[in-house]
Amino acid sequence: MQPCSREMQGINPLSNSSSQIPLSGHHQIQNSQMHHFDPSSSHDDFLDQMLSNLLSSSWLDLNPKPFWDDTPPPPSHAAAENVAFQYDDQASLASKFRNHQISSDGGNPSTKSSTTTAALMLQAQHQLLMSRGLAGAGDSGLLPMPLSLGGGGDVDRSRNDVVDGSSFKSPNPGGERSVQALYNGFAGSLHGGGQVPNQTQQFLHPQGQNLGGSSGVATTQTPASSTPAQPRQRVRARRGQATDPHSIAERLRREKIAERMKALQELVPNANKTDKASMLDEIIDYVKFLQLQVKVLSMSRLGGAAAVAPLVADMASEAGAVAAAVAGGDCVQATASGNQTPPSTSNDTIAMTEHQVAKLMEEDMGSAMQYLQGKGLCLMPISLATAISTATCHSRSHLVNNHNQKGPSSPSMSVLTVQSATAGNGAAESSVKEGVSVSKP
Amino acid sequence: MTPIIPTANNPASATKLRFARRFLRSLSKMSKTRPSCPSSICVKKRSEGLKMAAYWCMARSVGSRRAWSRAILMKLSRGRQQHPHHHNFSMKRKIRRPTWLGKTKKKQKKKRNITCSSSSYDDEDEEEIMKRQTEKLREVVPGGKLMDICSLLEETAHFVTCLADQVHVMQTIAHRYS
């Protein structure tokens, strides 16, 4: 269970040494937190959890969390929980900053680079540890980190700037808020360090008040701590957040899920749904749609008399259900383009196909249909074809056949109308009027 | 074989290239071993086999890195053990086909009933909705039944990218050789 990454080593000495602190429930929370986190995730995931906890705070609004309704917890519990929360957050955030750039950094005008903020964090955490009177074990784990980042002289300046930059009164969407949430976390840790300049304290205090219930971000309020020697270093992490480590783990888990959902949202077209449930529906439909496409392609590639009518009927019904949900995404256009280009580039093959179909139709309708379906084509009444072509304004008058995508097709696809007046088509016309199989859009 | 897949430099499409190569190889093998017979059943089997081959090639290209690819490989190899013919992947009768490889009609009907009954979202707790949807997702994504939600979502994301690549490759091949 012992994590092997550097960052975790930084945290572990924390947890070990914090157990020695005679603070009420700190060590318990710390250890139980560790116990909660370790089994539930891998090492990288732990850091992701911690970071995403603060960075993806925008997702928090989507979850109807009961803690919004709860009154703020009693200060001692909040303080205890917040301190523990602070430790892990900062360590993980520090490591995360060292590894990655914050993408939303540019959104904040007064933002420093991530390295300075990371340095700031580490400094703050270091100070916090010192103020806690922890043994050198915890410090040694963290000491190399600020040194590696350097810029010790920069820290004070950047600290103030960071504090200034964290002025947010109203919840900002997405990354900006998450970055500011981060800063606020730092600010909280700044309070924790006994050496925090007074101006930052005062600056942050009103901000903390403003943040009260506006977002799920770590707010800094006046913590009435159980240790009167350090009046303002506790951070009340979330308003109404229970001190229960279960809820912390639960929150982290939820944020991890939210992060994954966001990633999925970018993959799936029509990702404008904000609701998680509808997003999941969209994802499921998209996966089904892709699998259906694979099925369609595996059929159409066989060439010649490939698919049988019942198969096509199955697929049409499936496609109808699926394509209706995935309305006109990129995939549909991709398939459309995939099948449109052959007709546009080779009219000869189209004419040949026509003749072939006409010949087959004279013998047997079924084989003609099979031939067409093997090519990925279908028959359509001329009236309907003209109607569609004029509706979509994609008509190309010189092209000769109706080619419709089998399975997942959409009405927005361009249809090439029948306009040839060959004798073969005369036969086709008559048969077309009798029975037509059109793939459902 | 003409190189029809554009050579891409980013590592994200390395899987795509591997899949393309494998798939083309398996396609040529299939066309050699099996003559194209006009009977509908044979055609059905062949398309089924082609679909399985596509999934197998994709799973092999991804390797064992992902849970879903491992699931596909295990299921297909289990199917192959029961059917000694290496080119016929259809396992309809002997093994209950995993749902993500293609649903039978019965299952579709069942699903439709379930979705109809769950349409009244107002009365349902949100948790219930999520549970139902994750169930659906688990059925669609290979190997989904064994994972928790977090890894399920991650696997879904990778699976979606690989499926999209697969579809793109197959389309290109079909376009080129049709």
Side-chain angles (χ1 to χ4, degrees):
Chain A
M1 276 251 275
Q2 285 299 321
C4 49
S5 60
R6 265 187 308 162
E7 297 82 13
M8 295 299 289
Q9 280 169 1
I11 297 173
N12 257 340
L14 268 178
S15 63
N16 292 337
S17 50
S18 63
S19 60
Q20 304 159 10
I21 302 173
L23 295 170
S24 62
H26 275 208
H27 57 285
Q28 287 166 357
I29 291 175
Q30 190 73 39
N31 290 338
S32 56
Q33 261 188 343
M34 298 309 295
H35 286 305
H36 272 287
F37 294 143
D38 282 346
S40 65
S41 58
S42 63
H43 307 317
D44 291 340
D45 285 342
F46 174 81
L47 299 172
D48 284 346
Q49 271 183 24
M50 296 307 228
L51 183 64
S52 63
N53 188 14
L54 285 189
L55 278 188
S56 58
S57 56
S58 58
W59 273 100
L60 290 176
D61 292 337
L62 299 178
N63 299 326
K65 295 192 176 183
F67 67 82
W68 285 118
D69 300 329
D70 295 349
T71 57
S76 60
H77 292 292
E81 178 265 341
N82 293 333
V83 167
F85 181 74
Q86 218 177 350
Y87 284 147
D88 303 320
D89 264 352
Q90 290 160 7
S92 60
L93 291 172
S95 59
K96 193 83 174 189
F97 281 169
R98 269 186 290 114
N99 296 333
H100 308 285
Q101 272 281 339
I102 302 179
S103 59
S104 58
D105 230 358
N108 203 335
S110 61
T111 307
K112 293 297 176 180
S113 73
S114 62
T115 49
T116 45
T117 52
L120 163 69
M121 270 177 52
L122 293 166
Q123 276 286 343
Q125 191 164 13
H126 184 57
Q127 285 174 0
L128 179 58
L129 292 177
M130 299 278 279
S131 65
R132 292 261 168 248
L134 285 180
D139 298 345
S140 60
L142 294 170
L143 259 178
M145 297 198 264
L147 290 180
S148 67
L149 287 173
D154 268 348
V155 172
D156 282 333
R157 183 173 50 85
S158 61
R159 189 184 306 156
N160 293 338
D161 289 337
V162 163
V163 163
D164 292 338
S166 65
S167 59
F168 47 118
K169 313 279 183 191
S170 61
N172 298 319
E176 218 181 342
R177 194 171 66 169
S178 58
V179 168
Q180 289 160 350
L182 228 43
Y183 292 157
N184 217 4
F186 304 156
S189 70
L190 292 182
H191 285 307
Q195 295 84 8
V196 172
N198 285 334
Q199 72 176 60
T200 56
Q201 273 189 348
Q202 293 157 9
F203 192 83
L204 278 170
H205 187 60
Q207 276 190 354
Q209 306 276 333
N210 284 332
L211 281 178
S214 59
S215 64
V217 167
T219 62
T220 60
Q221 305 168 8
T222 350
S225 64
S226 57
T227 62
Q230 291 136 353
R232 276 191 186 173
Q233 80 281 9
R234 312 293 176 99
V235 173
R236 206 171 294 183
R238 312 253 156 183
R239 189 177 174 103
Q241 178 67 43
T243 62
D244 190 10
H246 291 283
S247 60
I248 294 176
E250 183 66 28
R251 181 178 64 220
L252 286 171
R253 182 177 148 269
R254 254 184 242 131
E255 278 157 6
K256 200 164 133 191
I257 291 176
E259 188 188 325
R260 303 270 161 87
M261 288 281 297
K262 240 183 198 172
L264 268 175
Q265 209 169 4
E266 289 158 18
L267 285 177
V268 176
N270 292 336
N272 45 4
K273 316 270 190 317
T274 49
D275 182 20
K276 219 158 137 186
S278 53
M279 199 57 227
L280 265 184
D281 276 333
E282 200 66 39
I283 292 166
I284 293 171
D285 286 336
Y286 185 61
V287 173
K288 283 193 206 164
F289 170 70
L290 285 176
Q291 287 172 346
L292 186 63
Q293 266 193 317
V294 170
K295 192 170 170 184
V296 165
L297 282 167
S298 71
M299 278 181 174
S300 69
R301 191 164 306 127
L302 298 184
V308 198
L311 274 177
V312 174
D314 283 354
M315 283 173 28
S317 60
E318 281 180 36
V322 171
V326 186
D330 301 341
C331 30
V332 173
Q333 291 175 6
T335 57
S337 61
N339 272 356
Q340 273 173 9
T341 41
S344 61
T345 54
S346 54
N347 288 338
D348 307 333
T349 54
I350 296 172
M352 262 174 45
T353 313
E354 268 192 27
H355 290 303
Q356 184 71 21
V357 167
K359 248 185 274 171
L360 282 173
M361 271 197 277
E362 285 159 15
E363 311 162 5
D364 171 27
M365 198 58 199
S367 62
M369 298 306 298
Q370 285 180 15
Y371 176 71
L372 272 181
Q373 282 149 11
K375 293 241 163 213
L377 309 172
C378 74
L379 281 183
M380 170 183 270
I382 294 180
S383 53
L384 181 58
T386 44
I388 291 179
S389 73
T390 50
T392 56
C393 304
H394 280 168
S395 60
R396 307 177 195 187
S397 54
H398 64 288
L399 292 171
V400 289
N401 226 337
N402 293 340
H403 296 234
N404 260 348
Q405 175 76 18
K406 206 170 34 156
S409 64
S410 78
S412 64
M413 274 186 51
S414 72
V415 171
L416 315 169
T417 57
V418 177
Q419 293 206 3
S420 72
T422 61
N425 258 18
E429 256 183 295
S430 57
S431 56
V432 154
K433 281 169 190 159
E434 300 162 4
V436 178
S437 80
V438 178
S439 66
K440 232 168 72 171
Chain B
M1 256 187 270
T2 54
I4 59 179
I5 312 295
T7 52
N9 297 325
N10 49 344
S13 65
T15 309
K16 205 170 170 181
L17 284 174
R18 280 200 300 266
F19 165 71
R21 275 197 212 104
R22 273 219 180 85
F23 190 57
L24 286 169
R25 241 181 278 147
S26 68
L27 267 183
S28 57
K29 219 191 294 178
M30 274 174 68
S31 61
K32 277 180 207 154
T33 56
R34 220 188 303 176
S36 61
C37 44
S39 76
S40 61
I41 300 179
C42 181
V43 155
K44 227 180 188 178
K45 278 189 189 164
R46 202 173 150 200
S47 63
E48 178 79 25
L50 192 46
K51 189 177 81 171
M52 296 296 179
Y55 279 119
W56 183 81
C57 289
M58 177 50 79
R60 280 298 300 271
S61 311
V62 170
S64 304
R65 285 179 272 146
R66 287 280 159 177
W68 64 265
S69 66
R70 289 194 292 268
I72 291 181
L73 289 173
M74 271 174 45
K75 281 172 186 158
L76 285 180
S77 65
R78 222 190 306 147
R80 251 197 257 185
Q81 283 170 12
Q82 302 217 0
H83 286 263
H85 326 288
H86 73 283
H87 58 273
N88 188 359
F89 293 155
S90 85
M91 311 174 274
K92 255 189 280 189
R93 290 183 197 101
K94 296 285 172 93
I95 307 175
R96 186 182 66 88
R97 233 183 322 162
T99 50
W100 49 263
L101 282 182
K103 302 186 194 80
T104 58
K105 268 190 177 161
K106 245 193 234 177
K107 282 181 190 162
Q108 273 180 331
K109 271 193 194 151
K110 231 194 276 181
K111 277 196 191 61
R112 285 206 192 104
N113 289 338
I114 289 173
T115 47
C116 287
S117 65
S118 71
S119 56
S120 62
Y121 281 167
D122 315 330
D123 317 335
E124 300 275 350
D125 189 18
E126 203 174 296
E127 283 299 316
E128 290 298 317
I129 298 173
M130 296 296 294
K131 270 189 207 163
R132 214 170 293 119
Q133 286 174 330
T134 48
E135 262 308 305
K136 274 195 256 174
L137 194 56
R138 278 177 211 275
E139 284 162 12
V140 180
V141 174
K145 311 231 179 196
L146 315 166
M147 300 187 266
D148 61 328
I149 293 187
C150 292
S151 34
L152 177 67
L153 289 177
E154 200 179 335
E155 292 293 318
T156 307
H158 193 256
F159 187 53
V160 160
T161 42
C162 288
L163 265 185
D165 288 343
Q166 186 176 349
V167 163
H168 184 247
V169 166
M170 287 169 81
Q171 274 172 3
T172 319
I173 295 178
H175 171 202
R176 181 60 79 100
Y177 288 115
S178 66

